[in-house]
PDB file of all heavy atoms in Angstrom:
ATOM      1  N   ILE A  46     -14.607   7.942   4.666  1.00 98.00           N
ATOM      2  CA  ILE A  46     -13.942   8.816   3.720  1.00 98.00           C
ATOM      3  C   ILE A  46     -13.952  10.261   4.257  1.00 98.00           C
ATOM      4  O   ILE A  46     -12.911  10.937   4.327  1.00 98.00           O
ATOM      5  CB  ILE A  46     -14.535   8.741   2.304  1.00 98.00           C
ATOM      6  CG1 ILE A  46     -14.207   7.396   1.681  1.00 98.00           C
ATOM      7  CG2 ILE A  46     -14.051   9.934   1.429  1.00 98.00           C
ATOM      8  CD1 ILE A  46     -14.916   7.128   0.337  1.00 98.00           C
ATOM      9  N   ILE A  47     -15.130  10.725   4.678  1.00 98.00           N
ATOM     10  CA  ILE A  47     -15.307  12.081   5.209  1.00 98.00           C
ATOM     11  C   ILE A  47     -14.523  12.232   6.510  1.00 98.00           C
ATOM     12  O   ILE A  47     -13.852  13.229   6.749  1.00 98.00           O
ATOM     13  CB  ILE A  47     -16.788  12.406   5.377  1.00 98.00           C
ATOM     14  CG1 ILE A  47     -17.451  12.530   3.966  1.00 98.00           C
ATOM     15  CG2 ILE A  47     -16.965  13.690   6.180  1.00 98.00           C
ATOM     16  CD1 ILE A  47     -18.987  12.640   4.008  1.00 98.00           C
ATOM     17  N   ARG A  48     -14.592  11.238   7.414  1.00 98.00           N
ATOM     18  CA  ARG A  48     -13.886  11.277   8.656  1.00 98.00           C
ATOM     19  C   ARG A  48     -12.389  11.419   8.449  1.00 98.00           C
ATOM     20  O   ARG A  48     -11.709  12.242   9.087  1.00 98.00           O
ATOM     21  CB  ARG A  48     -14.284  10.105   9.536  1.00 98.00           C
ATOM     22  CG  ARG A  48     -13.644  10.097  10.957  1.00 98.00           C
ATOM     23  CD  ARG A  48     -14.105   8.982  11.861  1.00 98.00           C
ATOM     24  NE  ARG A  48     -13.886   7.692  11.264  1.00 98.00           N
ATOM     25  CZ  ARG A  48     -14.816   6.808  10.809  1.00 98.00           C
ATOM     26  NH1 ARG A  48     -16.089   7.106  10.928  1.00 98.00           N
ATOM     27  NH2 ARG A  48     -14.516   5.652  10.322  1.00 98.00           N
ATOM     28  N   PHE A  49     -11.784  10.549   7.658  1.00 98.00           N
ATOM     29  CA  PHE A  49     -10.393  10.599   7.360  1.00 98.00           C
ATOM     30  C   PHE A  49      -9.964  11.944   6.819  1.00 98.00           C
ATOM     31  O   PHE A  49      -9.058  12.651   7.268  1.00 98.00           O
ATOM     32  CB  PHE A  49      -9.931   9.483   6.408  1.00 98.00           C
ATOM     33  CG  PHE A  49      -8.485   9.470   6.126  1.00 98.00           C
ATOM     34  CD1 PHE A  49      -7.627   8.673   6.839  1.00 98.00           C
ATOM     35  CD2 PHE A  49      -7.912  10.318   5.084  1.00 98.00           C
ATOM     36  CE1 PHE A  49      -6.212   8.697   6.570  1.00 98.00           C
ATOM     37  CE2 PHE A  49      -6.589  10.321   4.840  1.00 98.00           C
ATOM     38  CZ  PHE A  49      -5.715   9.512   5.587  1.00 98.00           C
ATOM     39  N   ALA A  50     -10.703  12.374   5.726  1.00 98.00           N
ATOM     40  CA  ALA A  50     -10.330  13.631   5.053  1.00 98.00           C
ATOM     41  C   ALA A  50     -10.581  14.812   5.953  1.00 98.00           C
ATOM     42  O   ALA A  50      -9.805  15.796   5.893  1.00 98.00           O
ATOM     43  CB  ALA A  50     -11.122  13.741   3.724  1.00 98.00           C
ATOM     44  N   SER A  51     -11.603  14.819   6.842  1.00 98.00           N
ATOM     45  CA  SER A  51     -11.803  15.952   7.718  1.00 98.00           C
ATOM     46  C   SER A  51     -10.595  16.169   8.595  1.00 98.00           C
ATOM     47  O   SER A  51     -10.306  17.325   8.922  1.00 98.00           O
ATOM     48  CB  SER A  51     -13.042  15.705   8.614  1.00 98.00           C
ATOM     49  OG  SER A  51     -14.224  15.677   7.819  1.00 98.00           O
ATOM     50  N   GLU A  52      -9.930  15.125   9.003  1.00 98.00           N
ATOM     51  CA  GLU A  52      -8.767  15.253   9.850  1.00 98.00           C
ATOM     52  C   GLU A  52      -7.471  15.466   9.054  1.00 98.00           C
ATOM     53  O   GLU A  52      -6.647  16.273   9.457  1.00 98.00           O
ATOM     54  CB  GLU A  52      -8.629  14.019  10.693  1.00 98.00           C
ATOM     55  CG  GLU A  52      -7.496  14.144  11.749  1.00 98.00           C
ATOM     56  CD  GLU A  52      -7.541  13.100  12.820  1.00 98.00           C
ATOM     57  OE1 GLU A  52      -8.555  12.316  12.887  1.00 98.00           O
ATOM     58  OE2 GLU A  52      -6.639  13.082  13.671  1.00 98.00           O
ATOM     59  N   PHE A  53      -7.300  14.860   7.905  1.00 98.00           N
ATOM     60  CA  PHE A  53      -6.023  14.813   7.293  1.00 98.00           C
ATOM     61  C   PHE A  53      -5.939  15.469   5.828  1.00 98.00           C
ATOM     62  O   PHE A  53      -4.858  15.775   5.366  1.00 98.00           O
ATOM     63  CB  PHE A  53      -5.449  13.374   7.154  1.00 98.00           C
ATOM     64  CG  PHE A  53      -5.332  12.711   8.499  1.00 98.00           C
ATOM     65  CD1 PHE A  53      -6.146  11.701   8.844  1.00 98.00           C
ATOM     66  CD2 PHE A  53      -4.320  13.102   9.329  1.00 98.00           C
ATOM     67  CE1 PHE A  53      -6.032  11.088  10.067  1.00 98.00           C
ATOM     68  CE2 PHE A  53      -4.163  12.497  10.540  1.00 98.00           C
ATOM     69  CZ  PHE A  53      -5.036  11.458  10.912  1.00 98.00           C
ATOM     70  N   ASP A  54      -7.067  15.639   5.184  1.00 98.00           N
ATOM     71  CA  ASP A  54      -7.088  16.193   3.790  1.00 98.00           C
ATOM     72  C   ASP A  54      -8.392  16.849   3.530  1.00 98.00           C
ATOM     73  O   ASP A  54      -9.142  16.433   2.662  1.00 98.00           O
ATOM     74  CB  ASP A  54      -6.766  15.034   2.818  1.00 98.00           C
ATOM     75  CG  ASP A  54      -6.538  15.513   1.369  1.00 98.00           C
ATOM     76  OD1 ASP A  54      -6.534  16.746   1.153  1.00 98.00           O
ATOM     77  OD2 ASP A  54      -6.342  14.641   0.513  1.00 98.00           O
ATOM     78  N   PRO A  55      -8.704  17.971   4.254  1.00 98.00           N
ATOM     79  CA  PRO A  55     -10.045  18.498   4.188  1.00 98.00           C
ATOM     80  C   PRO A  55     -10.400  19.331   2.951  1.00 98.00           C
ATOM     81  O   PRO A  55     -10.808  20.481   3.045  1.00 98.00           O
ATOM     82  CB  PRO A  55     -10.152  19.352   5.500  1.00 98.00           C
ATOM     83  CG  PRO A  55      -8.712  19.752   5.694  1.00 98.00           C
ATOM     84  CD  PRO A  55      -7.840  18.628   5.209  1.00 98.00           C
ATOM     85  N   GLN A  56     -10.196  18.768   1.749  1.00 98.00           N
ATOM     86  CA  GLN A  56     -10.627  19.415   0.507  1.00 98.00           C
ATOM     87  C   GLN A  56     -12.121  19.132   0.329  1.00 98.00           C
ATOM     88  O   GLN A  56     -12.597  18.056   0.709  1.00 98.00           O
ATOM     89  CB  GLN A  56      -9.792  18.941  -0.623  1.00 98.00           C
ATOM     90  CG  GLN A  56      -8.260  19.220  -0.488  1.00 98.00           C
ATOM     91  CD  GLN A  56      -7.488  18.755  -1.642  1.00 98.00           C
ATOM     92  OE1 GLN A  56      -7.629  19.321  -2.678  1.00 98.00           O
ATOM     93  NE2 GLN A  56      -6.743  17.673  -1.469  1.00 98.00           N
ATOM     94  N   PRO A  57     -12.789  20.086  -0.273  1.00 98.00           N
ATOM     95  CA  PRO A  57     -14.272  19.977  -0.358  1.00 98.00           C
ATOM     96  C   PRO A  57     -14.737  18.712  -1.004  1.00 98.00           C
ATOM     97  O   PRO A  57     -15.798  18.127  -0.622  1.00 98.00           O
ATOM     98  CB  PRO A  57     -14.651  21.163  -1.194  1.00 98.00           C
ATOM     99  CG  PRO A  57     -13.579  22.180  -0.999  1.00 98.00           C
ATOM    100  CD  PRO A  57     -12.308  21.379  -0.788  1.00 98.00           C
ATOM    101  N   PHE A  58     -14.056  18.182  -2.044  1.00 98.00           N
ATOM    102  CA  PHE A  58     -14.557  16.968  -2.739  1.00 98.00           C
ATOM    103  C   PHE A  58     -14.288  15.681  -1.901  1.00 98.00           C
ATOM    104  O   PHE A  58     -14.727  14.624  -2.275  1.00 98.00           O
ATOM    105  CB  PHE A  58     -13.957  16.798  -4.120  1.00 98.00           C
ATOM    106  CG  PHE A  58     -12.417  17.117  -4.207  1.00 98.00           C
ATOM    107  CD1 PHE A  58     -11.514  16.125  -3.864  1.00 98.00           C
ATOM    108  CD2 PHE A  58     -11.983  18.369  -4.619  1.00 98.00           C
ATOM    109  CE1 PHE A  58     -10.158  16.414  -3.933  1.00 98.00           C
ATOM    110  CE2 PHE A  58     -10.702  18.632  -4.723  1.00 98.00           C
ATOM    111  CZ  PHE A  58      -9.730  17.675  -4.351  1.00 98.00           C
ATOM    112  N   HIS A  59     -13.609  15.817  -0.707  1.00 98.00           N
ATOM    113  CA  HIS A  59     -13.490  14.696   0.208  1.00 98.00           C
ATOM    114  C   HIS A  59     -14.485  14.767   1.382  1.00 98.00           C
ATOM    115  O   HIS A  59     -14.772  13.734   1.954  1.00 98.00           O
ATOM    116  CB  HIS A  59     -12.086  14.645   0.781  1.00 98.00           C
ATOM    117  CG  HIS A  59     -10.990  14.446  -0.210  1.00 98.00           C
ATOM    118  ND1 HIS A  59     -11.039  13.531  -1.276  1.00 98.00           N
ATOM    119  CD2 HIS A  59      -9.770  14.994  -0.288  1.00 98.00           C
ATOM    120  CE1 HIS A  59      -9.902  13.589  -1.912  1.00 98.00           C
ATOM    121  NE2 HIS A  59      -9.128  14.432  -1.351  1.00 98.00           N
ATOM    122  N   ILE A  60     -14.909  15.982   1.733  1.00 98.00           N
ATOM    123  CA  ILE A  60     -15.649  16.175   2.981  1.00 98.00           C
ATOM    124  C   ILE A  60     -17.039  16.743   2.846  1.00 98.00           C
ATOM    125  O   ILE A  60     -17.798  16.656   3.786  1.00 98.00           O
ATOM    126  CB  ILE A  60     -14.806  16.972   3.994  1.00 98.00           C
ATOM    127  CG1 ILE A  60     -14.641  18.439   3.472  1.00 98.00           C
ATOM    128  CG2 ILE A  60     -13.525  16.280   4.289  1.00 98.00           C
ATOM    129  CD1 ILE A  60     -14.029  19.324   4.488  1.00 98.00           C
ATOM    130  N   ASP A  61     -17.375  17.355   1.731  1.00 98.00           N
ATOM    131  CA  ASP A  61     -18.660  18.048   1.580  1.00 98.00           C
ATOM    132  C   ASP A  61     -19.437  17.479   0.403  1.00 98.00           C
ATOM    133  O   ASP A  61     -19.088  17.744  -0.768  1.00 98.00           O
ATOM    134  CB  ASP A  61     -18.400  19.561   1.382  1.00 98.00           C
ATOM    135  CG  ASP A  61     -19.636  20.375   1.236  1.00 98.00           C
ATOM    136  OD1 ASP A  61     -20.758  19.845   0.976  1.00 98.00           O
ATOM    137  OD2 ASP A  61     -19.510  21.631   1.279  1.00 98.00           O
ATOM    138  N   PRO A  62     -20.506  16.692   0.678  1.00 97.00           N
ATOM    139  CA  PRO A  62     -21.233  16.061  -0.443  1.00 97.00           C
ATOM    140  C   PRO A  62     -21.790  17.066  -1.467  1.00 97.00           C
ATOM    141  O   PRO A  62     -21.759  16.771  -2.678  1.00 97.00           O
ATOM    142  CB  PRO A  62     -22.349  15.345   0.257  1.00 97.00           C
ATOM    143  CG  PRO A  62     -21.809  15.049   1.613  1.00 97.00           C
ATOM    144  CD  PRO A  62     -20.948  16.235   1.959  1.00 97.00           C
ATOM    145  N   VAL A  63     -22.194  18.241  -1.058  1.00 98.00           N
ATOM    146  CA  VAL A  63     -22.769  19.172  -1.975  1.00 98.00           C
ATOM    147  C   VAL A  63     -21.692  19.774  -2.869  1.00 98.00           C
ATOM    148  O   VAL A  63     -21.767  19.807  -4.088  1.00 98.00           O
ATOM    149  CB  VAL A  63     -23.496  20.358  -1.193  1.00 98.00           C
ATOM    150  CG1 VAL A  63     -23.926  21.474  -2.137  1.00 98.00           C
ATOM    151  CG2 VAL A  63     -24.714  19.830  -0.476  1.00 98.00           C
ATOM    152  N   ALA A  64     -20.562  20.179  -2.262  1.00 98.00           N
ATOM    153  CA  ALA A  64     -19.396  20.667  -3.052  1.00 98.00           C
ATOM    154  C   ALA A  64     -18.842  19.618  -3.918  1.00 98.00           C
ATOM    155  O   ALA A  64     -18.454  19.858  -5.090  1.00 98.00           O
ATOM    156  CB  ALA A  64     -18.332  21.230  -2.095  1.00 98.00           C
ATOM    157  N   ALA A  65     -18.774  18.431  -3.433  1.00 98.00           N
ATOM    158  CA  ALA A  65     -18.220  17.285  -4.168  1.00 98.00           C
ATOM    159  C   ALA A  65     -19.065  16.987  -5.376  1.00 98.00           C
ATOM    160  O   ALA A  65     -18.577  16.640  -6.508  1.00 98.00           O
ATOM    161  CB  ALA A  65     -18.126  16.014  -3.324  1.00 98.00           C
ATOM    162  N   ALA A  66     -20.404  17.148  -5.277  1.00 98.00           N
ATOM    163  CA  ALA A  66     -21.273  16.880  -6.443  1.00 98.00           C
ATOM    164  C   ALA A  66     -21.066  17.904  -7.542  1.00 98.00           C
ATOM    165  O   ALA A  66     -21.253  17.600  -8.707  1.00 98.00           O
ATOM    166  CB  ALA A  66     -22.767  16.979  -5.938  1.00 98.00           C
ATOM    167  N   ARG A  67     -20.626  19.110  -7.172  1.00 98.00           N
ATOM    168  CA  ARG A  67     -20.359  20.188  -8.120  1.00 98.00           C
ATOM    169  C   ARG A  67     -18.911  20.112  -8.670  1.00 98.00           C
ATOM    170  O   ARG A  67     -18.585  20.818  -9.596  1.00 98.00           O
ATOM    171  CB  ARG A  67     -20.632  21.521  -7.540  1.00 98.00           C
ATOM    172  CG  ARG A  67     -22.055  21.842  -7.242  1.00 98.00           C
ATOM    173  CD  ARG A  67     -22.280  23.342  -6.922  1.00 98.00           C
ATOM    174  NE  ARG A  67     -21.406  23.757  -5.834  1.00 98.00           N
ATOM    175  CZ  ARG A  67     -21.784  23.951  -4.528  1.00 98.00           C
ATOM    176  NH1 ARG A  67     -23.039  23.733  -4.178  1.00 98.00           N
ATOM    177  NH2 ARG A  67     -20.908  24.388  -3.647  1.00 98.00           N
ATOM    178  N   SER A  68     -18.087  19.240  -8.038  1.00 98.00           N
ATOM    179  CA  SER A  68     -16.690  19.127  -8.489  1.00 98.00           C
ATOM    180  C   SER A  68     -16.547  18.292  -9.784  1.00 98.00           C
ATOM    181  O   SER A  68     -17.492  17.666 -10.171  1.00 98.00           O
ATOM    182  CB  SER A  68     -15.899  18.448  -7.374  1.00 98.00           C
ATOM    183  OG  SER A  68     -16.020  17.081  -7.350  1.00 98.00           O
ATOM    184  N   PRO A  69     -15.373  18.286 -10.396  1.00 97.00           N
ATOM    185  CA  PRO A  69     -15.159  17.438 -11.558  1.00 97.00           C
ATOM    186  C   PRO A  69     -15.378  15.969 -11.240  1.00 97.00           C
ATOM    187  O   PRO A  69     -15.590  15.198 -12.193  1.00 97.00           O
ATOM    188  CB  PRO A  69     -13.741  17.674 -11.905  1.00 97.00           C
ATOM    189  CG  PRO A  69     -13.354  18.964 -11.322  1.00 97.00           C
ATOM    190  CD  PRO A  69     -14.231  19.117 -10.090  1.00 97.00           C
ATOM    191  N   TYR A  70     -15.407  15.568 -10.024  1.00 97.00           N
ATOM    192  CA  TYR A  70     -15.586  14.127  -9.667  1.00 97.00           C
ATOM    193  C   TYR A  70     -17.012  13.781  -9.488  1.00 97.00           C
ATOM    194  O   TYR A  70     -17.335  12.553  -9.458  1.00 97.00           O
ATOM    195  CB  TYR A  70     -14.813  13.863  -8.344  1.00 97.00           C
ATOM    196  CG  TYR A  70     -13.363  14.269  -8.412  1.00 97.00           C
ATOM    197  CD1 TYR A  70     -12.917  15.348  -7.700  1.00 97.00           C
ATOM    198  CD2 TYR A  70     -12.486  13.572  -9.244  1.00 97.00           C
ATOM    199  CE1 TYR A  70     -11.574  15.791  -7.822  1.00 97.00           C
ATOM    200  CE2 TYR A  70     -11.206  13.988  -9.340  1.00 97.00           C
ATOM    201  CZ  TYR A  70     -10.717  15.083  -8.632  1.00 97.00           C
ATOM    202  OH  TYR A  70      -9.425  15.436  -8.758  1.00 97.00           O
ATOM    203  N   GLY A  71     -17.921  14.714  -9.404  1.00 98.00           N
ATOM    204  CA  GLY A  71     -19.375  14.429  -9.343  1.00 98.00           C
ATOM    205  C   GLY A  71     -19.855  13.760  -8.040  1.00 98.00           C
ATOM    206  O   GLY A  71     -20.951  13.289  -7.983  1.00 98.00           O
ATOM    207  N   GLY A  72     -19.031  13.811  -6.985  1.00 98.00           N
ATOM    208  CA  GLY A  72     -19.379  13.244  -5.694  1.00 98.00           C
ATOM    209  C   GLY A  72     -18.206  13.009  -4.820  1.00 98.00           C
ATOM    210  O   GLY A  72     -17.015  13.277  -5.258  1.00 98.00           O
ATOM    211  N   ILE A  73     -18.401  12.591  -3.632  1.00 98.00           N
ATOM    212  CA  ILE A  73     -17.316  12.353  -2.630  1.00 98.00           C
ATOM    213  C   ILE A  73     -16.361  11.336  -3.209  1.00 98.00           C
ATOM    214  O   ILE A  73     -16.779  10.292  -3.739  1.00 98.00           O
ATOM    215  CB  ILE A  73     -17.939  11.829  -1.295  1.00 98.00           C
ATOM    216  CG1 ILE A  73     -18.730  12.958  -0.596  1.00 98.00           C
ATOM    217  CG2 ILE A  73     -16.889  11.265  -0.396  1.00 98.00           C
ATOM    218  CD1 ILE A  73     -17.869  14.072   0.087  1.00 98.00           C
ATOM    219  N   ILE A  74     -15.058  11.632  -3.037  1.00 98.00           N
ATOM    220  CA  ILE A  74     -13.998  10.675  -3.343  1.00 98.00           C
ATOM    221  C   ILE A  74     -13.043  10.612  -2.151  1.00 98.00           C
ATOM    222  O   ILE A  74     -12.929  11.520  -1.380  1.00 98.00           O
ATOM    223  CB  ILE A  74     -13.235  11.016  -4.625  1.00 98.00           C
ATOM    224  CG1 ILE A  74     -12.509  12.328  -4.513  1.00 98.00           C
ATOM    225  CG2 ILE A  74     -14.173  10.949  -5.824  1.00 98.00           C
ATOM    226  CD1 ILE A  74     -11.513  12.608  -5.692  1.00 98.00           C
ATOM    227  N   ALA A  75     -12.429   9.436  -2.003  1.00 98.00           N
ATOM    228  CA  ALA A  75     -11.448   9.243  -0.933  1.00 98.00           C
ATOM    229  C   ALA A  75     -10.186  10.085  -1.212  1.00 98.00           C
ATOM    230  O   ALA A  75      -9.734  10.218  -2.356  1.00 98.00           O
ATOM    231  CB  ALA A  75     -11.080   7.762  -0.737  1.00 98.00           C
ATOM    232  N   SER A  76      -9.570  10.543  -0.177  1.00 98.00           N
ATOM    233  CA  SER A  76      -8.250  11.174  -0.284  1.00 98.00           C
ATOM    234  C   SER A  76      -7.290  10.112  -0.783  1.00 98.00           C
ATOM    235  O   SER A  76      -7.366   8.958  -0.378  1.00 98.00           O
ATOM    236  CB  SER A  76      -7.805  11.674   1.092  1.00 98.00           C
ATOM    237  OG  SER A  76      -6.463  11.948   1.118  1.00 98.00           O
ATOM    238  N   GLY A  77      -6.392  10.485  -1.615  1.00 98.00           N
ATOM    239  CA  GLY A  77      -5.342   9.525  -2.005  1.00 98.00           C
ATOM    240  C   GLY A  77      -4.536   9.050  -0.866  1.00 98.00           C
ATOM    241  O   GLY A  77      -4.125   7.864  -0.843  1.00 98.00           O
ATOM    242  N   TRP A  78      -4.379   9.857   0.126  1.00 98.00           N
ATOM    243  CA  TRP A  78      -3.599   9.431   1.303  1.00 98.00           C
ATOM    244  C   TRP A  78      -4.395   8.418   2.134  1.00 98.00           C
ATOM    245  O   TRP A  78      -3.801   7.518   2.777  1.00 98.00           O
ATOM    246  CB  TRP A  78      -3.253  10.667   2.191  1.00 98.00           C
ATOM    247  CG  TRP A  78      -2.319  11.554   1.399  1.00 98.00           C
ATOM    248  CD1 TRP A  78      -2.558  12.807   0.902  1.00 98.00           C
ATOM    249  CD2 TRP A  78      -1.017  11.193   0.853  1.00 98.00           C
ATOM    250  NE1 TRP A  78      -1.486  13.263   0.193  1.00 98.00           N
ATOM    251  CE2 TRP A  78      -0.485  12.291   0.168  1.00 98.00           C
ATOM    252  CE3 TRP A  78      -0.155  10.091   1.041  1.00 98.00           C
ATOM    253  CZ2 TRP A  78       0.701  12.298  -0.441  1.00 98.00           C
ATOM    254  CZ3 TRP A  78       1.067  10.104   0.385  1.00 98.00           C
ATOM    255  CH2 TRP A  78       1.514  11.193  -0.331  1.00 98.00           C
ATOM    256  N   HIS A  79      -5.680   8.483   2.099  1.00 98.00           N
ATOM    257  CA  HIS A  79      -6.541   7.470   2.717  1.00 98.00           C
ATOM    258  C   HIS A  79      -6.346   6.137   1.981  1.00 98.00           C
ATOM    259  O   HIS A  79      -6.202   5.081   2.641  1.00 98.00           O
ATOM    260  CB  HIS A  79      -8.000   7.913   2.676  1.00 98.00           C
ATOM    261  CG  HIS A  79      -8.953   7.054   3.423  1.00 98.00           C
ATOM    262  ND1 HIS A  79     -10.294   7.314   3.416  1.00 98.00           N
ATOM    263  CD2 HIS A  79      -8.798   6.007   4.231  1.00 98.00           C
ATOM    264  CE1 HIS A  79     -10.901   6.454   4.141  1.00 98.00           C
ATOM    265  NE2 HIS A  79     -10.041   5.584   4.737  1.00 98.00           N
ATOM    266  N   THR A  80      -6.297   6.204   0.649  1.00 98.00           N
ATOM    267  CA  THR A  80      -6.075   4.956  -0.134  1.00 98.00           C
ATOM    268  C   THR A  80      -4.702   4.375   0.186  1.00 98.00           C
ATOM    269  O   THR A  80      -4.577   3.164   0.342  1.00 98.00           O
ATOM    270  CB  THR A  80      -6.271   5.301  -1.597  1.00 98.00           C
ATOM    271  OG1 THR A  80      -7.511   5.908  -1.850  1.00 98.00           O
ATOM    272  CG2 THR A  80      -6.135   4.023  -2.472  1.00 98.00           C
ATOM    273  N   VAL A  81      -3.700   5.234   0.326  1.00 98.00           N
ATOM    274  CA  VAL A  81      -2.354   4.759   0.695  1.00 98.00           C
ATOM    275  C   VAL A  81      -2.395   4.128   2.082  1.00 98.00           C
ATOM    276  O   VAL A  81      -1.786   3.065   2.226  1.00 98.00           O
ATOM    277  CB  VAL A  81      -1.341   5.928   0.672  1.00 98.00           C
ATOM    278  CG1 VAL A  81      -0.003   5.533   1.286  1.00 98.00           C
ATOM    279  CG2 VAL A  81      -1.097   6.411  -0.791  1.00 98.00           C
ATOM    280  N   ALA A  82      -3.063   4.712   3.008  1.00 98.00           N
ATOM    281  CA  ALA A  82      -3.125   4.138   4.372  1.00 98.00           C
ATOM    282  C   ALA A  82      -3.839   2.774   4.341  1.00 98.00           C
ATOM    283  O   ALA A  82      -3.344   1.806   5.024  1.00 98.00           O
ATOM    284  CB  ALA A  82      -3.890   5.078   5.290  1.00 98.00           C
ATOM    285  N   ILE A  83      -4.902   2.642   3.578  1.00 98.00           N
ATOM    286  CA  ILE A  83      -5.576   1.337   3.522  1.00 98.00           C
ATOM    287  C   ILE A  83      -4.666   0.324   2.819  1.00 98.00           C
ATOM    288  O   ILE A  83      -4.569  -0.856   3.235  1.00 98.00           O
ATOM    289  CB  ILE A  83      -6.965   1.468   2.802  1.00 98.00           C
ATOM    290  CG1 ILE A  83      -7.863   2.346   3.617  1.00 98.00           C
ATOM    291  CG2 ILE A  83      -7.555   0.091   2.531  1.00 98.00           C
ATOM    292  CD1 ILE A  83      -8.222   1.868   5.045  1.00 98.00           C
ATOM    293  N   MET A  84      -3.981   0.736   1.756  1.00 98.00           N
ATOM    294  CA  MET A  84      -3.036  -0.115   1.033  1.00 98.00           C
ATOM    295  C   MET A  84      -2.031  -0.652   2.036  1.00 98.00           C
ATOM    296  O   MET A  84      -1.716  -1.876   2.089  1.00 98.00           O
ATOM    297  CB  MET A  84      -2.349   0.619  -0.062  1.00 98.00           C
ATOM    298  CG  MET A  84      -1.263  -0.143  -0.782  1.00 98.00           C
ATOM    299  SD  MET A  84      -0.041   0.882  -1.629  1.00 98.00           S
ATOM    300  CE  MET A  84       0.917   1.518  -0.235  1.00 98.00           C
ATOM    301  N   MET A  85      -1.497   0.267   2.835  1.00 98.00           N
ATOM    302  CA  MET A  85      -0.426  -0.175   3.851  1.00 98.00           C
ATOM    303  C   MET A  85      -0.993  -1.189   4.853  1.00 98.00           C
ATOM    304  O   MET A  85      -0.336  -2.145   5.138  1.00 98.00           O
ATOM    305  CB  MET A  85       0.099   1.081   4.559  1.00 98.00           C
ATOM    306  CG  MET A  85       1.300   0.833   5.463  1.00 98.00           C
ATOM    307  SD  MET A  85       2.719   0.412   4.400  1.00 98.00           S
ATOM    308  CE  MET A  85       3.467  -0.891   5.364  1.00 98.00           C
TER     309      MET A  85
END
Side-chain angles (χ1 to χ4, degrees):
I46 289 171
I47 292 171
R48 185 175 54 248
F49 180 95
S51 293
E52 187 165 354
F53 300 109
D54 189 1
Q56 297 182 72
F58 43 82
H59 297 319
I60 63 170
D61 180 346
V63 174
R67 292 192 306 257
S68 78
Y70 306 109
I73 290 286
I74 62 169
S76 165
W78 298 112
H79 189 184
T80 307
V81 168
I83 297 298
M84 175 203 75
M85 189 70 220

